[in-house]
Amino acid sequence: MFSVLALATQILANANFATQDTVSSKTSVPLVNVHQEQPQFQNADKSDLAPPPKVRQIRIPGDILIGGVFPVHTKSQSGDEPCGEIAETRGVHRVEAMLYALDQINAQNDFSSRNGRDPQIRKQGQKKSVAAVVGGSYSSVSVQLANLLRLFRIAQVSPASTNADLSDKNRFEYFARTVPSDDYQAMAMVEIAVKFKWSYVSLVYSADEYGELGADAFKKEARKKGICIALEERIQNKQESFTESTNNLVQKLQAEKNVGATVVVLFVGTEYIPELLRHTAEKMHLSSGSKKRIIWLASESWDRNNDKYTAGENRLAVQGAIVLMLASQKVPSFEEYFMSLHPGTEKFERNKWLRELWQIKYKCEFGAPVSSNANRCEDIRQTTEGFKADDKVQFVIDAVYAIAHGLQAMKNVHCPDDAIETSWISRYSRQPEICRAMQNIDGADFYQNYLLKVQFDDVVGKRFHFSAQGDGPASYTIFTYKPKSLDKRRRMLGDEDESQSDYVEIGHWSENNLTIYDEQLWWNANETPVSVCSLPCKVGYRKQLIKDEQCCWACSKCEDFEYLINETHCVACEQGKWPTKDRKACFDLAVAHLKYMRWKSMYSIVPAILAVIGIVSTIFVIVVYVMYNETPVVKASGRELSYILLISMIMCYCMTFVLLAKPNAAVCAIKRTGIGFAFSCLYAAMFVKTNRIARIFNTRTAQRPQFISPISQVVMTGMLAGVQLIGSLIWLYVVPPGWRHHYPTRDQVVLTCNVPDHHFLYSLAYDALLLILCTIYAVKTRKVPENFNETKFIGFSMYTTCVVWLSWIFFFFGTGSDFQIQTTSLCISISMSANVALVCIFSPKLWIILFEKHKNVRKQEGESMLNKSNRSLGNCSSRLCASSIDEPNQYTALLSDSTRRRASRKTSHPTSTSSAQDTFL
Ligand code: GLU
């Protein structure tokens, strides 16, 4: 298809059509002329293409003129010279890539060499206008070039300029490029930073269209992703600018700190970078082993094929750099073509910059005599070893092909008959001519209707087309600089292959999709370098932003019951809920950690053991009592009430198990009635006992006091205990038993009965009343010798019980929140109350029954016992003391009377029993 386009080419170099100070003095500018005509060697049209004197150029004859603008030389450092050094990759390789592409296009021409000769311009003196321009490379050049070319409505296709503004078709109506806009590059860089959690970075950019716009795009994207820029350095091509910027950068990496903006994002023109690296290496004393280093995250202007980047100390500064490159492929046929260039060949000689390059690269001389010792350039032959073609060769070739395809399409429309395929006669009878429409191309028509619409499979087999904005596809390859000599891992793997590049591919980015090959990174997964202002807060701490900068913060602790609603705010969990381990939500304590007494816990085991001991002891007493039921001691203590007391005690002990059981309606009902009832039985019985004695001993008349018989005592006890029972049952009716969740502290949900503890305490008020009354009577009757001073022991029991209960109340409210301690203490207190009664009331009797059997006998011994007792009553009441020990007085008579009657009913030996009873009372 290119046969109709390319018959001859002409390249002109150094045409100064960009402003002097920015382009012409620093950039070599070839122009390429493509013509559709029978080949004929011809000089370029001197009228419009003749270069100014001293300007080097490449001219290839042809009919359609295509320009090329490439940075063949670097910028001049001194200012005396118009250009700096020759740039091999970005300059010469790109020029050759364009020539190569044109050669390829021309080679496809059916006309090209019908008679074996090279293409020629057929008509001398014909005026040609530039159809399109390939270039420039640096965005700053492209912008100026575009501004110029738009005046002449000439289409421009850049193979390297990525400045985002160039997509603006209102400003650059004729600009297209085979590379993408830097907006995508900025996105890719930000995604890399996000991936490695680099939230605090420095930014260095060059003071030109490339650097400034790239930096702006990066800042915009970074802001979206919460990345902060610690420092911005804008560098210019001045020594002081580098020194100042590197000083600032290095200062930001304070040696003593683990944090800081270690990552430096670079949007800097290619030529600034080696100098920047040199300054950094010097300032950071990298050669003397300083550990702190900068991690460059560099844009595609980084030239990985430029040896200056890694020369000398620079290599230390570059180490670990992460570099984006536009995704491109090697073009083997171009490399082959380039390798074939050597002095003397036509393709070598047409490009005068190759001579300059040869002299510098191979340190050789042209024209030295064969016999001399000098290194003759003519003898130099290139080898593939160490050859690294420029990364954008593919884009240069794409640009030339895009223009060629556009011209082809345009020609097909405007000059449909002007093709040899359509005219068999013309093909052999006359030389074809380019049609008029193609001689003066309307740039706007060409750009809009043909160039932007091209689609073709490019030199590496990829389908190429422009976006609506005239941009190329956005796809990047990510490399890291990992020199073999410094990379232990690579050496260990035996990767000594010298041909392998020091730049290792670590991933790629396209269409918002970042892929990183972690195994290729120069750090291990858990050793990713940090570039942050503040380290992350520990779990349970919130960030307190410093000066509203989202990347710098201090950490402050949330309350234990709070979770983090976001990184900066703690919020309290609802009642009954508690923060999860990661402090990001709350969970229901009732589901995971519901508290109630567990049998396995010490809080349950200890009271349960005490209760069991109590029950066993009480049963033992009951057994002894039953066994010695008919002995004077048992009888004298009032058997009915004694058994009531003992059973009440067992009830008290059993309450421990009720209290320790998992609360449910039944357990709660028993708790609410049982404890009160057990106590009421206990204290009612004691009260009846003491009250009876008090009444007997208080009787002023000889009249026998009422209700002192055993049956009346039992009835009285039952009535008094019944009051408590009825009260409890009414309470149960009014507030039906059930369970609920109680929240004593924020982190506890306790399963408990549905009545508050203080209500439970109120329910024991009646028991307390009985206890107090009992105590009062015990005090009153403390000196009555009846039944071995039983009231005295009841008194002891009462005082102790009072102390136990008072201490429990203080303990209960003192330990406030711990339900286990509260329950355990309540159990122990109840058991203690029973213990106290058991020990005080029953142990003296048990002692006599078991160990002082001689006292547990009838009359005689009893009398002597009574005498002893009466004698011991030193401060006895006058009434009691007045009575003779030998004769029964009115009180003993009353007491004996009641017991005698009872004894006579139950025993077959009334006489002996009654006398024993008399004796003891
Ligand atoms: N993308 C750079 C710019 O727009 C040029 C890079 C290169 O020439 O490789 O300035």
Side-chain angles (χ1 to χ4, degrees), residues 436-478:
R436 260 175 200 282
M438 295 301 284
Q439 280 171 17
N440 273 312
I441 287 171
D442 173 5
D445 179 33
F446 172 63
Y447 179 82
Q448 279 300 337
N449 300 326
Y450 304 102
L451 183 64
L452 286 192
K453 290 185 179 158
V454 293
Q455 283 206 19
F456 57 93
D457 289 329
D458 73 3
V459 67
V460 292
K462 270 198 170 170
R463 191 92 195 131
F464 180 86
H465 65 90
F466 289 108
S467 72
Q469 291 75 31
D471 295 340
S475 182
Y476 298 87
T477 310
I478 305 156

Side-chain angles (χ1 to χ4, degrees), residues 71 90 94 136-142 158-163 166 177 179-180 182 185 208-211 268-270 299-303 326 390-392:
R90 307 228 149 177
R94 289 182 192 178
S137 283
Y138 300 138
S139 295
S140 44
V141 174
S142 285
S158 167
S161 298
T162 48
N163 164 303
L166 290 167
R177 53 186 163 189
V179 289
D182 277 338
Q185 180 159 220
D208 53 27
E209 275 81 355
Y210 177 68
V268 172
T270 307
S299 66
E300 49 68 67
S301 62
W302 185 286
D303 188 352
L326 287 169
D390 180 65
D391 288 312
K392 293 195 176 86

Side-chain angles (χ1 to χ4, degrees), residues 287-536:
S287 54
S288 49
S290 161
K291 280 263 168 341
K292 270 276 177 210
R293 53 179 70 253
I294 280 173
I295 299 162
W296 307 105
L297 175 54
S299 66
E300 49 68 67
S301 62
W302 185 286
D303 188 352
R304 68 174 171 139
N305 301 317
N306 187 337
D307 292 336
K308 275 193 182 173
Y309 279 53
T310 50
E313 257 192 322
N314 282 11
R315 163 176 273 232
L316 299 171
V318 176
Q319 217 188 318
I322 292 178
V323 181
L324 275 87
M325 298 281 157
L326 287 169
S328 65
Q329 289 177 27
K330 278 188 168 192
V331 184
S333 54
F334 167 74
E335 291 186 11
E336 210 174 288
Y337 158 80
F338 199 85
M339 287 301 116
S340 73
L341 297 173
H342 56 84
T345 59
E346 191 220 322
K347 299 245 158 98
F348 182 92
E349 298 304 339
R350 72 181 170 183
N351 180 354
K352 294 286 179 283
W353 292 301
L354 285 177
R355 285 186 156 246
E356 189 183 339
L357 177 67
W358 251 239
Q359 282 167 342
I360 290 169
K361 190 173 172 187
Y362 299 109
K363 299 188 179 57
C364 62
E365 280 174 34
F366 276 97
V370 186
S371 53
S372 75
N373 283 344
N375 186 13
R376 280 166 44 84
C377 291
E378 288 84 351
D379 299 339
I380 305 275
R381 294 290 175 273
Q382 294 189 83
T383 58
T384 46
E385 198 181 313
F387 176 76
K388 291 176 259 171
D390 180 65
D391 288 312
K392 293 195 176 86
V393 160
Q394 182 194 325
F395 302 117
V396 176
I397 298 173
D398 282 349
V400 178
Y401 269 82
I403 293 172
H405 278 282
L407 289 171
Q408 166 79 45
M410 189 177 193
K411 193 209 121 302
N412 286 349
V413 173
H414 289 286
C415 324
D417 301 328
D418 187 24
I420 58 130
E421 307 97 304
T422 60
S423 163
W424 183 86
I425 302 168
S426 66
R427 183 170 179 174
Y428 291 101
S429 61
R430 64 184 181 91
Q431 291 175 345
E433 290 180 12
I434 190 161
C435 80
R436 260 175 200 282
M438 295 301 284
Q439 280 171 17
N440 273 312
I441 287 171
D442 173 5
D445 179 33
F446 172 63
Y447 179 82
Q448 279 300 337
N449 300 326
Y450 304 102
L451 183 64
L452 286 192
K453 290 185 179 158
V454 293
Q455 283 206 19
F456 57 93
D457 289 329
D458 73 3
V459 67
V460 292
K462 270 198 170 170
R463 191 92 195 131
F464 180 86
H465 65 90
F466 289 108
S467 72
Q469 291 75 31
D471 295 340
S475 182
Y476 298 87
T477 310
I478 305 156
F479 290 91
T480 191
Y481 182 70
K482 194 156 72 163
K484 287 183 284 292
S485 53
L486 299 173
D487 180 16
K488 278 190 222 139
R489 220 168 1 160
R490 281 178 79 177
R491 280 206 310 270
M492 265 162 54
L493 291 172
D495 183 2
E496 298 291 345
D497 182 359
E498 284 307 316
S499 66
Q500 281 255 314
S501 166
D502 281 343
Y503 286 90
V504 179
E505 189 178 329
I506 56 163
H508 64 262
W509 185 96
S510 61
E511 289 165 12
N512 284 332
N513 207 344
L514 174 70
T515 312
I516 296 284
Y517 316 130
D518 290 319
E519 66 287 351
Q520 293 294 356
L521 295 169
W522 54 269
W523 59 78
N524 294 326
N526 52 353
E527 290 167 357
T528 308
V530 283
S531 187
V532 293
C533 180
S534 309
L535 290 173

